[in-house]
Amino acid sequence: MPQPFPTISDQRQPQAWAITPNGHALTQLAEGIWGCAMQAKQRPLVVLSTAGPLIGVRAALEQNRPKDLPSNIAFLPQVMSFADWLEAAPGAWQFPKKQTDLERWLSVYINLRKHPKLKAWFKAESDSGAWGLAKSVIDACDILSEAIIPQLYEELNQLTNTSTLDAEAWTKKLEALLEKTIALAYPDLSRKVVDQESEVLLTFWRYLSGAGDAVFRKQFAMAAHLDLAKSNQEQARPFIWVQTADPKPIDQEVMGKYLASYAQYAPVIQVALDWQPVALWSEALAGESPAGELVELNAEQEQQLNSNIKTAPYQDWHLISARRFEELAWTATKTIESHLIAGKTNIALVAQDRLAARRVRALLARLGPALNIRDETGWKIDTTRAAAAINSWLELIRAPKEGPTASALLEFLQNPYLDIAACIEKSPEVCIGLIAQLEDILIASQAKSGWETFYMAIERANAYAATHDAAPNEALLKLLQFVRERHYAWQELNLNCSNAYALLQNNLQDTGMSKALEQDAAGKQLLEVMKSFDLRSSDYQSIAMRLPEWISLIKSVLEDASYEETGKEAKANLSILPLSSTRLRQFDAVVVVGCDEQQLPAFSEPPLFFSDALNRLLKTSTINAQFIQQARDLSQLLVSCPSVDLLWQSKSKNGEPLRPSAWIQRLQTQLPYWKSVVAKPDSYSGKAKPLQKAVATIDPDLPLPLSMSPSAYKALRDCPYKYYVRSLLGLREAKEFEDGFDASLAGQSLHALLRNFYQALKTEEQKADSQIINNAQARRMWMERELSAISEKEFKRLIAGDSRVLGTLRDWQKQIPSFIAWQLQREASGWRYHNAEHKVGFDLHFADLDGEHRIIRIEGRADRFDVNIQNIGQSEVIDYKNQSMTKIKKRAEHVLDDPQLLIYARAANEDPASAHLQGQQVDHAQWVSLKLDIKRDKKLMRSLEVVGVPELMPVFNQQITEDMQNLWSRKEMTAFAPDGVCKYCEARGICRKGMW
């Protein structure tokens, strides 16, 4: 039976009242509060220890408003959370200035830099680890400050009109208290280690503690409220204190003293929760002893517990297990959907498994705006898209002077808050596809890091566009310069807290991110958090830091800040919340995910400096207290809610079986009919139709190509399906940056330096007094020296952008003597360099199957042409390969399937003017390796000739003509490539060759 509200007496002491935390708890509480108002003929002040039930209590008061109330108490009683009540303290503006969390962090961090041993003791050598340690030190100091409040209660109450505190007196009392607790908690441990930790902690406490600490301001606020009641005893209102959760012993002691003091001036009702009628486990009923140990039940309590379990509405509790994580998320989603279909509009999702709860939220987003989802689990602001945008800029500016990685650059440029048009002062139309184009250029060039590398990649892409009837994109260079200038400003900044904040704000304004963030809910809250870094009016504004330290500070603050979602009108509401937030709240249905033995109950990590035994002696939170509180919270939830679904994953990530929580198992032993159900995913059946072959049929409306490159023709020869997907449909695999340094830009540089070297050689040979004409030794030395110098010059800019390219240069320079030896051997055979990098091609005439005449252009860019001075009219086409000779030999085995050199040879013979080879016949071709394995290849064979080019040419001509005829006839194209080609084929996700 519920306890009646007590009759207010004239005794000047708090009166106790207990309510049963079941489905009628709020009604009982509301009736009691109104009863207090009626008895006292005053509007009482109701303070809740936690804010969760606040709205529910106000709604219950409105629903249970008595009729014919006197005018002076007609309004609802004032209901506040404890935190709001403290903030509303009279004269709070007179309190000592409150230090922000950031200022306290900085004060600790300054001292941590002076004590590197401390960082090493606690394994916090990194910047982020040091900030985490600073936060732990602050938390520990607050615990120590709370521990001494009862001893200093009277003294602190006298300080409401002063702004100074005797820190030395605190220190002496704290030292005595800490020495006592250490002596009791660590009798068997080494005094040396304990003394080191306690001495360091006391040092920080002595330095940090001040009148602006939250612990002492809380006491000032309580004292201010007490002074107001004392000075206005005639008008002091009844005070109702509702303890919605078990308090820490230290809080109970302090609050008990306050209530006893307040009772001298006005009635005080201390409301507690009576767990006897609702407890489902012994720990929830008996609680803990003064020593902090779990209490065993007596016979009467045993009987009460059994009665509670037998009368519990377990028919409304549903046990559901799922084998895998995704099944758990889908089952929870389907369960919530079923409640919505049943007309329930106020549903709770208790996130014991927070990862599963986030997945459920994502699945429920499909329901659209009809369901309002509110996350109360402490969603951190650093997980929002807005924080990711800020983080992308922080990662970019922390890059070295040479420049960021391409990934960091693209991540920043692709963030949705960046106004690219404003950055480069261009119209939005010009910026469409700009970042995608930049990404394509950087990936194609494998330009992975460094400003100079990025510039080279863009410049070469623009140069290529200019020679291929396309417009160079100068906006890319302008955008790159915009970002580089701001990155450089950070590198040159003599950073302190003040100028770093100012520069960051300027960056956000320049990039347009500030304006975009203001229009976003998470972005607006993030900007408010960032304002805490404005320390211009603080003593910490001039603190000097390294850039990585400051960036780690920002990230630590964002990790600590919570994102508050804005509510909206909807047909139904889903609250995602921790178990502790369900206290005294009413829901139509509750779904709990994570009810396995590993996650229910869940314990918070103990403070860094304190063991559980030391916490007990300091009268703060302990593991036993958390265990009891969670047992009571779950009991209250099961008893008060009309429908509860308890879900868990029955197999861990490692495949090990997971049992339900021990609390569930204990209930099942006494409720034999309460069985769990295994969730089964929805399954669908159908008959499969076997695929015989992977065949592509060209769409009759799909235009066929009028030109083809050697690489496209190779794709056609490898597999027509691959050509169809890549060249006709235009589907390309999204490329990424590979590990290490790829030779794409370096390969282009090698081609360029070889062209420059041979041009320099031709120029030198034209000098009458040159020693390289008749002196073989001088020629060799000049060639090696000149090629090495040109290589250094060509790679200089590339190395400035990415120092890893230096290794590629050194590897190439090791090749130079062997390459020059190969060149001299060719010259001895009569071959001379003629020209390089020429675009050549030919028109292929053929008739399709309908007899209609067709023309297709086959063209590409040849690396090099040589002429033979001993056999006039004889020429050779050469293609450089940045590959080993082993791969080149494999290429030669299928020359008709990779006829790049044959295409160049035919093109030069049909149109000699395009290659400046008038009067020449290209009847030789060879590949040249620029990546010879000098250590293993004893013969130093650098080139491989295509044997019998004149004999191969008629076969090639007939083959390419037939291939074009088949292509233009739109015949079915069957996937027939060997596994080696399929392994790297871009169409492997579309082609179904592997199915037959």
Side-chain angles (χ1 to χ4, degrees), residues 704-778:
L704 290 172
L706 299 178
S707 64
M708 184 178 289
S709 67
S711 61
Y713 181 66
K714 181 180 183 300
L716 179 64
R717 292 296 301 172
D718 284 342
C719 176
Y721 203 100
K722 177 180 179 180
Y723 173 77
Y724 171 70
V725 170
R726 180 175 181 178
S727 298
L728 297 187
L729 296 182
L731 301 178
R732 300 296 178 96
E733 184 178 28
K735 295 183 178 180
E736 298 178 352
F737 292 101
E738 301 170 4
D739 294 332
F741 180 79
D742 186 83
S744 182
L745 265 181
Q748 295 176 39
S749 299
L750 285 173
H751 281 65
L753 69 87
L754 287 173
R755 181 187 66 245
N756 295 340
F757 165 70
Y758 282 113
Q759 292 296 341
L761 177 62
K762 292 178 71 173
T763 302
E764 183 68 20
E765 288 177 332
Q766 293 173 1
K767 296 179 181 179
D769 57 345
S770 176
Q771 298 181 358
I772 70 171
I773 299 176
N774 299 316
N775 189 329
Q777 183 64 23

Side-chain angles (χ1 to χ4, degrees), residues 159-343:
L159 290 172
T160 53
N161 297 321
T162 64
S163 58
T164 59
L165 295 177
D166 187 356
E168 191 65 31
W170 290 348
T171 303
K172 291 180 179 178
K173 292 189 177 184
L174 180 66
E175 287 176 346
L177 177 64
L178 194 60
E179 184 179 352
K180 177 182 177 182
T181 54
I182 289 174
L184 294 173
Y186 298 100
D188 300 326
L189 295 181
S190 167
R191 291 287 301 177
K192 180 179 179 181
V193 175
V194 174
D195 282 347
Q196 280 183 335
E197 293 180 359
S198 60
E199 181 183 354
V200 169
L201 187 55
L202 280 172
T203 301
F204 276 108
W205 186 88
R206 183 183 299 111
Y207 179 78
L208 286 176
S209 295
D213 289 2
V215 173
F216 300 113
R217 285 180 62 87
K218 169 184 168 182
Q219 190 61 37
F220 293 152
M222 294 172 67
H225 279 296
L226 190 62
D227 284 346
L228 180 62
K230 181 179 180 180
S231 59
N232 296 280
Q233 296 186 35
E234 298 285 336
Q235 301 176 357
R237 292 188 292 166
F239 187 92
I240 301 177
W241 170 253
V242 184
Q243 189 71 57
T244 58
D246 295 343
K248 296 185 295 186
I250 190 65
D251 291 338
Q252 185 175 14
E253 185 176 351
V254 173
M255 199 65 200
K257 288 189 175 186
Y258 176 82
L259 295 177
S261 300
Y262 193 95
Q264 306 304 311
Y265 315 115
V268 173
I269 309 299
Q270 192 169 359
V271 184
L273 302 181
D274 181 11
W275 295 103
Q276 183 173 341
V278 298
L280 298 176
W281 297 281
S282 58
E283 52 269 28
L285 178 58
E288 62 179 339
S289 66
E293 301 295 334
L294 296 177
V295 178
E296 294 186 7
L297 299 183
N298 55 37
E300 183 180 351
Q301 289 174 324
E302 285 278 5
Q303 186 177 358
Q304 178 67 48
L305 183 63
N306 293 333
S307 175
N308 291 347
I309 295 174
K310 289 179 181 179
T311 58
Y314 68 90
Q315 297 86 355
D316 300 325
W317 309 338
H318 309 104
L319 294 176
I320 307 173
S321 66
R323 291 172 299 175
R324 294 184 293 272
F325 172 81
E326 196 66 20
E327 288 182 12
L328 174 65
W330 273 103
T331 302
T333 304
K334 291 291 184 182
T335 303
I336 293 172
E337 287 180 352
S338 66
H339 289 311
L340 294 171
I341 294 171

Side-chain angles (χ1 to χ4, degrees), residues 974-991:
T974 305
F976 58 73
D979 292 340
V981 172
C982 293
K983 184 177 181 181
Y984 301 103
C985 179
E986 291 177 322
R988 64 184 180 274
I990 303 173
C991 174

